Amino acid sequence: MVSYIAALGAAILFLFVSILYESVAFGMLGVGMAVLVLFSLVNLGVAMRKVQFLMEIPLGIAEEGQPVGVHLVMRNSSRFPLRKCRVKVWYRNTLAKKGKTIWLRTGEVMRGENRMEYEVSFRETGNYEFRILRVRIYDFMGLFSLGRKSYAVDHAVVLPKVWDIPVSLGEAVRNFYGDAEEYDEKRPGQDNSETFAVREYRPGDKLQSIHWKLSAKADDLMVREYSQPKACPLILLVGGSRLALAASIMFSLMDAECPHYVVWQSRSENDLIRMRVSDEESYYSALVLLMQDMQEADTKQLQEFYLEKYRGEHYLYALALDRERVRLNGREVKVNRQDGRREMLELQL
């Protein structure tokens, strides 16, 4: 708008000079400039209503050190192309209070859908929120522009790099049995409150496990296999923002075939959340949700809420990650820093 005011002021000045000195040339120049300003203003005014700005992040997950691809989608339904646009994008790590603002410049915006790709790099891991705050469009000459507020939101998760943490599992952990709300779909167990499968009798099966009604119908001995609860010997309480260490512990426990619950305070639900991690799919699901929705909390209170919410379920170990300390069953675990960033510890369970 400032450029329009300046150009209009110059046109008025030329017209004034032409009248003052009776100059036809200055008069034509002033009239031409006024017509140009009017045409550009009408053109941009129409385009401002008929151009829609959207933002997409197709791959919303990236590893630490890799840029995130941000796509600007501009849908131009006006008759005229736009010389260029500038888009003000604000983003921040949801675990941080402050954000950062960048301006993305586009090329010529033709009629129809235009898609332009950019890369944004980050210094820290976490869940990042992107917003389009304002757009500025330029006329066909690139001399005049109009700006307006805009609103588009998307998210990206930058995963931390993980490193191997030595994990030693004792017999108590390997053979852990306990109550749980979920049951194993692949392995039978000893919980007679839930049936895993019914099969034919094999030598060595206990007589108490014979399903007599089905045996009578099948005219053969049938045995009921009981289910195995998906109990976890360890819970990982994440109270601080040490996401790289939490991810490394989760991955190392999974790699050592130690199923565990990841527990945190949810920011969106204002409640305690837990997710079971036993394979790569559950690891990535839990890590992404943890980074998107974790709220810093005291791990002692988290453990108290956990015991109250999941009464009847027990575990062997509680590993608590606070901002400054790592504790295993209340005892502090020493953490050594390497290369100024990475943290190493050894878990003996």
Side-chain angles (χ1 to χ4, degrees):
M1 185 60 70
V2 176
S3 57
Y4 281 112
I5 296 175
L8 187 59
I12 295 174
L13 179 61
F14 283 131
L15 291 174
F16 177 76
V17 172
S18 69
I19 296 173
L20 184 63
Y21 293 99
E22 298 180 355
S23 174
V24 178
F26 277 103
M28 293 180 62
L29 185 60
V31 172
M33 184 171 291
V35 172
L36 180 63
V37 170
L38 180 62
F39 178 78
S40 175
L41 184 60
V42 172
N43 181 29
L44 287 186
V46 173
M48 187 68 76
R49 297 194 300 269
K50 292 194 174 184
V51 178
Q52 184 182 13
F53 291 83
L54 302 174
M55 180 171 54
E56 296 178 357
I57 303 179
L59 298 178
I61 299 178
E63 293 185 354
E64 183 181 1
Q66 295 181 349
V68 174
V70 178
H71 292 188
L72 284 182
V73 181
M74 292 151 287
R75 295 171 181 166
N76 184 6
S77 60
S78 66
R79 294 184 178 181
F80 302 100
L82 301 176
R83 180 69 176 272
K84 61 180 179 179
C85 299
R86 295 176 67 223
V87 182
K88 186 178 183 181
V89 176
W90 175 87
Y91 67 90
R92 74 176 179 94
N93 190 330
T94 55
L95 296 177
K97 295 182 179 180
K98 296 182 179 180
K100 185 178 180 180
T101 301
I102 58 175
W103 282 93
L104 302 180
R105 299 176 180 269
T106 73
E108 190 173 10
V109 181
M110 305 300 294
R111 185 175 182 181
E113 182 171 294
N114 300 260
R115 184 180 294 267
M116 298 185 182
E117 302 180 5
Y118 306 85
E119 288 187 347
V120 182
S121 300
F122 307 94
R123 294 183 179 179
E124 299 179 349
T125 61
N127 176 51
Y128 285 84
E129 177 186 4
F130 286 79
R131 291 185 183 181
I132 294 180
L133 299 181
R134 191 172 184 83
V135 297
R136 179 165 292 278
I137 63 175
Y138 291 78
D139 64 356
F140 59 95
M141 296 180 298
L143 297 177
F144 304 105
S145 64
L146 288 178
R148 66 174 171 86
K149 294 182 179 180
S150 184
Y151 183 79
V153 178
D154 210 338
H155 296 81
V157 177
V158 180
L159 300 178
K161 291 182 179 179
V162 300
W163 56 91
D164 291 331
I165 294 176
V167 177
S168 302
L169 302 181
E171 291 299 321
V173 174
R174 294 185 181 275
N175 301 319
F176 180 73
Y177 176 83
D179 295 327
E181 298 177 351
E182 300 179 6
Y183 293 89
D184 199 323
E185 298 88 359
K186 299 181 180 179
R187 296 181 304 169
Q190 302 176 0
D191 190 343
N192 56 14
S193 63
E194 191 80 13
T195 300
F196 176 77
V198 178
R199 58 171 175 81
E200 294 182 355
Y201 176 85
R202 292 197 292 259
D205 289 336
K206 297 180 180 180
L207 294 178
Q208 293 88 340
S209 62
I210 296 177
H211 198 302
W212 295 107
K213 289 185 178 181
L214 288 181
S215 298
K217 292 181 180 180
D219 198 22
D220 195 5
L221 289 178
M222 305 297 293
V223 174
R224 178 193 289 112
E225 286 186 325
Y226 298 119
S227 294
Q228 175 70 33
K230 285 185 175 181
C232 294
L234 181 144
I235 61 173
L236 177 62
L237 303 164
V238 184
S241 57
R242 303 168 76 173
L243 297 176
L245 180 58
S248 300
I249 292 175
M250 292 163 57
F251 188 87
S252 299
L253 289 172
M254 175 205 69
D255 195 49
E257 298 183 355
C258 177
H260 56 283
Y261 286 122
V262 183
V263 183
W264 70 89
Q265 179 70 21
S266 169
R267 181 176 60 253
S268 61
E269 300 182 17
N270 194 26
D271 193 11
L272 181 141
I273 300 294
R274 80 169 184 181
M275 291 189 67
R276 189 177 192 270
V277 176
S278 58
D279 53 26
E280 285 197 16
E281 182 179 357
S282 58
Y283 162 76
Y284 283 109
S285 298
L287 180 58
V288 170
L289 188 58
L290 172 68
M291 297 178 70
Q292 290 178 336
D293 198 37
M294 187 197 74
Q295 179 179 345
E296 291 202 16
D298 182 63
T299 52
K300 291 184 178 180
Q301 293 183 352
L302 281 180
Q303 190 169 1
E304 293 175 359
F305 294 156
Y306 183 90
L307 293 174
E308 182 178 352
K309 187 172 183 177
Y310 299 101
R311 295 180 181 179
E313 297 185 22
H314 66 281
Y315 52 83
L316 298 178
Y317 295 97
L319 183 60
L321 298 184
D322 289 304
R323 179 177 287 274
E324 300 295 337
R325 296 188 303 171
V326 179
R327 290 175 291 111
L328 182 63
N329 283 358
R331 296 183 179 180
E332 189 167 350
V333 178
K334 291 185 178 180
V335 176
N336 301 320
R337 295 182 178 272
Q338 295 184 356
D339 300 332
R341 290 188 62 193
R342 292 193 171 186
E343 300 172 291
M344 301 292 294
L345 74 162
E346 182 177 356
L347 294 177
Q348 296 182 353
L349 306 176

